[in-house]
Amino acid sequence: MKTIEITGKNYFGKWNKTRTACRCIIVEGSKILLSYENETNQWMIPGGGLEDSESEKNCCIREVAEETGKLVEVSDCVLEIDEYYEDWKWVSKYFVGKIAGNTEIKLTQREREVGMVPRWIDTDEIKKIFSEHNSYADTDEMRRGLYLREYTALTELI
């Protein structure tokens, strides 16, 4: 498994907080399944935070189900991206998934507020969208970092 590090301009030089998330790349034909926020016009690879005593694979499976309504079988972790912003280390573990069935979408309050929905999008189109991460450098550091991370993951894995 490969590990890639990304350091934000706002990194304090040391971190004392860590968050680990597990994300799943699901490709069918030329399309990839993503989570899309209608209110923010923001895309992301489905996934989210690792809960206490939860395995990374189970986290990935749970998060995909909650965000997209898809039950997935997942690979072992194929990529880790470690990001450093302010006093945080954000760890994203990437898995490759295959759809095995459907279930109920269970969004968090925040995800409901931003109108999160699952969307299939052409892989070339989303790579182009994510490749424009630097266009957010002066206006939205969170989106810049998120799009850089997702672009890096897709470039490595697809």
Side-chain angles (χ1 to χ4, degrees), residues 26 30 53 68 107 129 133 135:
I26 304 162
S30 65
S53 73
T68 70
L107 300 177
I129 291 169
H133 52 86
S135 67

Side-chain angles (χ1 to χ4, degrees), residues 61 64-65 68-73 98-103:
I61 292 165
V64 170
T68 70
K70 300 297 181 190
L71 298 172
V72 292
E73 297 171 356
K98 179 181 173 186
I99 295 177
N102 296 301
T103 189

